[in-house]
Structures are given as C-alpha cells and as structure tokens.
C-alpha cells in the first residue's frame, strides 16, 4: 500500500515544533519563538536575512536575546527618523503673505512655540497670536467653551421655556469680501496645478461656524438644535476696524447699493453678495488685496439675544359695551410673561353693539413669551381668572393654537353668516301687516356704498351683500324688532336707515317711511372655530 505524504505545516507554531523535532501538541513556552518569528517576518534590516536563516536553529533563550537586540536597533532608527519630521500644521490656518514675519514661522506656517513658565506668560503668548485675516477671529476665539458658557448663561438667566433652539448669527458684512478674496487666491493656486475651484465648492464661514457651535450649545443647554424651533438664540458680531473693506464696491457697482427703509447702512450682506457676483475678478484684485491684510483686533460680540416665537391664544368672547382687548390681554401678558400682544377677531362691531350667544372668535398673539407650556387645567384656571376679573366680558374655550389655525378664523370672514337682532323705530305708525312683507323676503341683494361714518378709514366703494332671511316682531305703533341672517360684512345700521340713500334697498325704502335703529345685538357668528373644549 502506497504511503501518503505528510501535509505541509499550517501554522507558525507547527513549523517551530517540526524544526526542533518536537511531538505535535508540544506547548510553546510563552509563545516566544512563534511570536518572534511573526514579528521578524515583517522587519526590514540589513541583518534580517541572517537572523531568519538561523531562526529554526536557535534555542528559545538565544532567540529572545536577539529579538531584544533587534528591537533596540529599530528604536534608535525610529528616534532618528522622528527627529527629522517637521511639526504638524497648526490647527488655525491663516492666509497671509509668507514674506511677512517669515522668520517667526516654522516650515509648516505655524508660529514658533516658546516655553512659558506660568499662566501669565501663557496669556501674553496668546495675545500675540495674529488675527485670522479671513474670519477676523470668529473661528479663533468664539468657538471656545468660555464663549459658549457666556451665551448659555444669558439664555438661562432669561428664564425662557424651550425644548429646542435655533441659532442665528449676524456676521460683519465685510467678511463676505474677505471670503471672496481668499477664494480667488486659492483658485489661482489650484489653477497652477491644473485644478479648478468653483465658488459653490466653498463652505461659507457662517455655515462653518454654525457646524462648530451647534453641538457645543446643544450640550451646554441640554436640548437639541432644530431649524424649525420657535426659540431663537442670536449673536451679532461687529468689526469696526475693517468696516471700510466693502466701500470700494459702492464705487464699482453703485446700482447694488440703494438706500432702504429701516436700514442703517447700504452695505448689507445681500447687497455685498450681489456686488461680488457682478464685479470682475481683475477689478476686485485692483481694489482689494489677495490675500487680505491681517487686522489688529478680533471681532466683538455686540449683542446676545434670545427670543421665543409668538404664542397664539384663541377663544370665543362675549362683548358688551366696552372693548375686550384690554380686559383679556392683561391677564394673558402676565401669565405668559410676554413683551407685547396683537389682538384680532372674526370681524368687529361698533362699541354700542353687543355680541351675545356663543360669542365672537378671537385670537391673541403673544410676542416673545418667556413661558410657553400650559396644561389644560392651567388654561381653564386662566380662563376663570379672566371671567372673574370683570362683569363686562366672558370668555370660553381658551386654548393654545398654531399660527396656521388662525387662518380658519380669517378665511371665512366674507363667506360666513351672522345673525342680528335690531330694535327699529319708524316715524309713521305701523301695524303688524305693514312689516309682515319683510318675513317673505329671502336672499335679498343690496348695494352699499362705504358708509359715511367709516369713510375716513375705508376706501370709497360699492359692496354687494345678501340678506338671507328676515323675521319681524311687532312691539307697538312705532317700534318692532327685526331678526336678520346676513352675509358677513353687511352694514346693518345702514341697511335700516339707508345712510342718505347710500344703501339700496333699505328698511325705510321697503316700508315707505323713515326708519332708524335703536339697538343692535349680534346673536351668533357662524364660524366653527375655535374647537369646543370639554368641561
């Protein structure tokens, strides 16, 4: 029977045992021989082939000794090699002429570091660092923990309620000019190497700063950054030393800089960007250095503010002889700690017109509220507090709503219907039969010129309106009550007395006598808003 050839060894340990004629499975003491072989198999030295040839013949103690010699030899080589490597580039890279102060820079463009004895010397060394000629110190000084803590302390001291934040920053507009100069310089250098660099490929300084600062603020405030958040933290930077950097653009592109209302300067960021897109490269280089010159001072954080988005409180209200605005807003301003408010309602009536029934829907916008979270029970208590404060108004279904929900209140102002109750007087005596004809009129169309009493604040126009239904209620020879269901926007007083013929037809015309209105109540406003709350 033919003998099978033994299989070749499959591991370094097996090869080590076979070289020493040891039985299979013999443990390798400490793994020295095997590990030394594996370590040396990747080495590159002049005497390595000699060691590799002798490896199978060496005893473990001799192999260990030669391994130590090998490691010491390579350590000396690594030390010599590391001494020849230049310092790594400085984290804060600057675009500046290498001719300026070149003796102070190492071969990587970083300032030479000198040993310091104490914290005072450290502070003096930091003060001598040159300000970046592109970011004007924004990325040098305002990404540090101290600045983040300063901003967050101001936010926390304002005692706002928020579950997320959005960070906005206003940078000096001249930064756009310096960014443009830096882009032209880098573009030129890359062009020498046959590469191209479009302006769209550059990450704007403003976005870079936000990328850096967002995680720091989020960690310090304990809430996430969210671009849709209603709570805004804003910082305004200024750099007076370089304010004139962008003035040359007004001479080259005067049509980009036009005075505007509520703008302190024509040199806005958008105007400068528009001019930079328009100016030719050669004209820019002629008026502005590339790279920009280094300033002496860093930017200053002029203003740190935090504001909360407006909160909208909706309700139905019942209005008597005075305005509801002051009676309601006082309590809401106090509860929400808001700066101001804007009141709006679904239409409006004269001060002598009462709103009865379920009331008139209204909404109050609370500007920059410090408190924004209220439970249903707290809102109910606030409603009760408003109702107890005066006998002139009553509010119902007080609740927080979104800005979009306000549109439901406004969108039906022309389409909705309203029900009125009017007490009417006539100069001639009337009988029930005289006013019965009003009950039979349906969908009566009328034309109303702008009433004389509101002509000073409303444009002159003729508006067509519809009286859907009328129901008369006889009182005596000269008085009757008329219940009307009309299209929203109808001038009821003018429909009764005619406004010297400016409303046609009118009650006086239909009854063939002079008529006037003594009382007017709004019985209902047919808008299904705000949603009714369960008690």
């Amino acid at each position: 029977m033919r003998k099978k050839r033994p299989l070749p060894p499959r591991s370094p340990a097996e090869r080590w045992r076979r070289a020493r004629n040891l039985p299979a499975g013999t443990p390798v003491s400490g793994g020295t021989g095997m590990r030394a072989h594996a370590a040396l198999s990747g080495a590159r030295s002049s005497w390595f082939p000699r060691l590799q040839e002798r490896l199978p013949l060496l005893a473990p103690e001799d192999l260990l000794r030669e391994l130590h010699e090998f490691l010491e030899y390579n350590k000396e080589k690594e030390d010599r090699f590391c001494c020849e490597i230049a310092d790594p580039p400085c984290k804060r890279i600057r675009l500046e002429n290498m001719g300026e102060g070149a003796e102070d820079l190492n071969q990587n463009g970083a300032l030479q570091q000198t040993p310091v004895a104490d914290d005072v010397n450290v502070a003096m060394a930091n003060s001598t660092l040159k300000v970046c000629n592109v970011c004007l110190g924004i990325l040098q000084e305002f990404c540090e923990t101290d600045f983040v803590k300063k901003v967050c302390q101001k936010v926390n001291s304002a005692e706002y309620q928020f579950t997320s934040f959005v960070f906005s920053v206003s940078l000096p507009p001249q930064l756009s000019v310096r960014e443009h100069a830096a882009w032209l310089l880098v573009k030129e250098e890359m062009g020498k190497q046959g590469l191209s660099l479009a302006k769209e490929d550059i990450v704007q300084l403003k976005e870079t700063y936000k990328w850096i600062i967002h995680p720091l603020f989020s960690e310090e405030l304990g809430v996430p950054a969210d671009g849709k958040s209603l709570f805004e933290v804003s910082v305004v930077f200024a750099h007076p030393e370089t304010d004139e950097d962008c003035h040359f653009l007004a001479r080259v592109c005067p049509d980009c800089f036009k005075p505007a209302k509520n703008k302190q300067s024509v040199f806005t960021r958008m105007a400068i960007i528009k001019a930079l897109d328009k100016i030719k490269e050669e004209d820019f280089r002629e008026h502005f250095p590339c790279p920009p010159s280094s300033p002496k001072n860093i930017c200053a954080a002029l203003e740190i503010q935090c504001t909360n988005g407006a909160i909208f409180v909706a309700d139905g209200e019942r209005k008597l002889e005075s305005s509801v605005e002051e009676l309601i807003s006082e309590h809401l301003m106090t509860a929400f700690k808001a700066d101001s408010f804007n009141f709006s309602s679904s239409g409006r009536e004269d001060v002598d017109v009462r709103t009865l029934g379920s009331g008139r829907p209204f909404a109050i916008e609370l500007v920059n509220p410090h408190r924004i979270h209220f439970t249903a029970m707290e809102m109910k208590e606030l409603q009760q507090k408003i109702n107890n404060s005066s006998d002139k108004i009553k509010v119902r279904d007080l609740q927080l709503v979104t800005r979009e929900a306000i549109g439901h209140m406004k969108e039906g102002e022309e389409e909705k219907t309203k029900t009125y109750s009017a007490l009417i007087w006539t100069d001639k005596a009337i009988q029930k039969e005289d006013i019965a004809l009003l009950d039979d009129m349906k969908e009566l169309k009328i034309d109303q010129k702008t009433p004389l009493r509101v002509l000073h604040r409303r444009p002159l126009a003729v508006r067509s309106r519809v009286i859907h239904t009328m129901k008369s209620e006889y009182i005596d020879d000269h008085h009757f009550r008329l219940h009307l269901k009309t299209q929203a926007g109808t001038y009821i007083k003018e429909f009764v007395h005619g406004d010297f013929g400016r409303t046609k037809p009118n009650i006086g015309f239909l009854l063939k006598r002079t008529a006037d209105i003594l009382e007017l109540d709004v019985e209902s406003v047919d808008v299904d808003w705000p949603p009714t709350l369960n008690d």
Side-chain angles (χ1 to χ4, degrees):
M1 186 174 176
R2 192 172 178 181
K3 257 180 141 183
K4 289 186 181 179
R5 295 179 61 184
L7 294 173
R10 296 185 178 181
S11 68
E14 185 64 28
R15 290 197 299 269
W16 189 82
R17 294 188 192 96
R18 290 175 63 84
R20 288 156 180 76
N21 295 320
L22 296 174
T26 302
V28 179
S29 176
T32 306
M34 179 182 68
R35 291 177 185 173
H37 191 282
L40 292 173
S41 64
R44 294 291 181 268
S45 66
S46 58
W47 53 276
F48 174 68
R50 176 174 55 83
L51 178 61
Q52 193 175 31
E53 291 172 3
R54 294 177 56 197
L55 183 60
L57 304 177
L58 291 175
E61 59 272 14
D62 296 331
L63 187 61
L64 185 60
R65 177 175 49 79
E66 293 212 22
L67 177 59
H68 281 302
E69 292 177 0
F70 170 74
L71 295 175
E72 289 295 328
Y73 172 77
N74 276 276
K75 185 176 185 301
E76 293 176 3
K77 288 186 65 178
E78 288 176 4
D79 291 343
R80 290 197 301 272
F81 179 71
C82 290
C83 291
E84 296 171 359
I85 296 178
D87 293 334
C90 179
K91 285 198 319 185
R92 294 169 180 173
I93 299 174
R94 301 181 308 281
L95 289 172
E96 56 190 8
N97 289 322
M98 296 301 293
E100 277 187 22
E103 65 277 4
D104 297 329
L105 305 176
N106 62 22
Q107 56 185 312
N108 287 298
L111 289 171
Q112 299 285 1
Q113 301 294 320
T114 56
V116 292
D118 50 33
D119 292 341
V120 176
N121 288 337
V122 171
M124 293 178 62
N126 289 337
S127 65
T128 61
L129 289 175
K130 291 185 178 179
V131 179
C132 174
N133 56 349
V134 177
C135 76
L136 302 178
I138 296 290
L139 301 182
Q140 288 174 295
E141 299 296 332
F142 296 99
C143 297
E144 305 297 333
T145 305
D146 290 343
F147 177 70
V148 172
K149 288 186 176 180
K150 178 183 176 182
V151 174
C152 293
Q153 285 174 359
K154 184 174 181 63
V155 173
N156 292 330
S157 65
E159 298 181 349
Y160 281 92
Q161 284 185 339
F162 58 95
T163 55
S164 62
F165 74 95
V166 59
F167 177 72
S168 67
V169 57
S170 175
L171 299 179
Q174 59 266 30
L175 275 180
S176 299
V177 178
R178 291 177 169 262
E179 281 186 282
H180 191 80
W183 168 66
L184 291 179
L185 180 65
V186 176
K187 177 184 175 184
E188 180 183 5
E189 293 299 321
M190 292 184 67
K192 294 177 182 178
Q193 302 178 24
L195 302 173
S196 62
L197 181 68
K199 198 167 185 179
E200 294 76 19
D201 298 331
I202 302 295
V203 178
Q204 297 297 314
L205 175 63
K206 190 172 187 177
E207 296 305 314
T208 303
Y209 183 61
K210 286 185 176 182
W211 288 350
I212 297 172
I213 210 72
H214 267 164
L216 302 179
F217 277 140
S218 184
E219 181 179 358
E220 187 69 23
L221 292 173
V223 295
D226 183 359
K228 297 181 179 180
S229 175
L230 294 177
F231 182 67
E232 179 182 10
V233 179
S234 60
V235 180
V236 178
F237 290 103
H239 196 262
E241 182 184 345
T242 58
D243 276 347
E244 296 183 0
D245 281 358
C246 48
H247 288 189
F248 75 93
L249 291 172
R251 299 189 297 270
V252 180
C253 305
D255 56 325
C256 295
F257 300 91
K258 297 179 180 179
K261 293 181 179 180
N262 303 323
K263 296 291 183 181
Q264 296 180 353
S265 171
V266 296
F267 295 102
T268 62
R269 180 173 175 270
M270 295 307 299
I272 290 174
I273 290 176
K274 184 178 179 181
L276 292 174
D277 290 339
K278 189 174 183 180
I279 192 173
K280 297 180 180 178
E281 289 188 14
E282 53 270 22
D283 292 338
F284 182 89
R285 291 177 178 272
E286 181 181 344
H287 292 87
F288 197 81
C290 296
S293 59
S294 295
K296 296 179 181 179
N297 305 304
I298 66 171
C299 279
L302 286 186
E303 195 174 290
I304 300 173
Q305 286 188 338
C306 42
T307 56
N308 230 339
I311 290 292
F312 294 87
V313 179
D315 195 358
E317 50 87 11
R318 183 175 297 179
K319 180 177 178 182
L320 300 183
E321 63 268 16
S322 64
S323 173
V324 302
E325 187 171 312
E326 298 83 1
L327 297 173
I328 297 177
S329 61
E330 178 183 355
H331 299 282
L332 295 178
M333 288 277 291
T334 302
F336 285 82
K337 300 180 181 178
D339 291 348
S340 59
F341 71 93
N342 296 310
F343 184 92
S344 59
S345 64
S346 180
R348 60 181 179 179
E349 306 297 338
D350 296 334
V351 68
D352 58 348
V353 177
R354 298 182 301 174
T355 300
L356 307 177
S358 59
R360 176 190 305 279
F362 76 89
I364 293 183
E365 177 186 3
L366 296 164
V367 180
N368 193 25
H370 287 223
R371 183 182 178 187
I372 59 174
H373 299 299
F374 284 81
T375 64
M377 182 58 66
E378 288 174 330
M379 291 299 294
K380 190 173 182 179
E381 291 173 356
L382 182 56
Q383 173 180 300
Q384 192 62 40
K385 185 177 181 180
I386 294 172
N387 290 339
N388 293 339
S389 65
S390 173
D391 60 352
K392 298 180 179 180
I393 61 164
K394 295 293 180 183
V395 298
R396 63 171 180 85
D397 299 328
L398 193 67
Q399 58 194 279
L400 297 176
V401 296
T402 63
R403 182 184 293 272
E404 291 74 18
I406 304 298
H408 296 301
M409 181 182 72
K410 289 294 185 181
E411 67 187 6
E413 284 194 353
E414 293 298 323
E415 290 76 20
K416 69 176 182 288
T417 59
K418 298 167 70 175
T419 303
Y420 293 90
S421 173
L423 178 61
I424 299 175
W425 167 88
T426 60
D427 62 337
K428 296 180 181 179
I430 56 172
Q431 300 297 323
K432 290 183 179 181
E433 295 77 12
D434 296 328
I435 60 176
L437 62 92
L438 300 177
D439 299 349
D440 298 329
M441 294 183 179
K442 311 292 183 185
E443 306 299 324
L444 175 65
K445 293 183 179 180
I446 63 174
D447 293 325
Q448 293 189 306
K449 282 187 179 180
T450 304
L452 294 175
R453 61 188 175 90
V454 299
L455 195 56
H456 64 285
R457 55 182 172 86
R458 292 284 180 89
L460 178 61
V462 177
R463 300 171 178 85
S464 296
R465 294 292 183 262
V466 177
I467 310 297
H468 296 294
T469 61
M470 290 185 284
K471 184 178 180 181
S472 59
E473 182 181 327
Y474 180 80
I475 298 177
D476 58 36
D477 291 348
H478 293 278
H479 300 88
F480 71 97
R481 186 169 295 278
L482 185 64
H483 300 276
L484 311 92
K485 187 173 184 179
T486 71
Q487 179 183 351
T490 303
Y491 292 105
I492 303 300
K493 293 179 179 179
E494 282 68 24
F495 173 62
V496 173
H497 57 63
D499 196 26
F500 300 101
R502 299 171 68 86
T503 293
K504 296 179 181 179
N506 54 72
I507 294 296
F509 173 80
L510 295 174
L511 297 181
K512 296 181 173 57
R513 65 200 67 202
T514 301
D516 204 352
I517 189 166
L518 304 179
E519 293 178 359
L520 181 62
D521 293 331
V522 179
E523 294 187 331
S524 68
V525 179
D526 302 326
V527 178
D528 188 18
W529 193 90
T532 302
L533 300 179
N534 295 325
D535 294 336

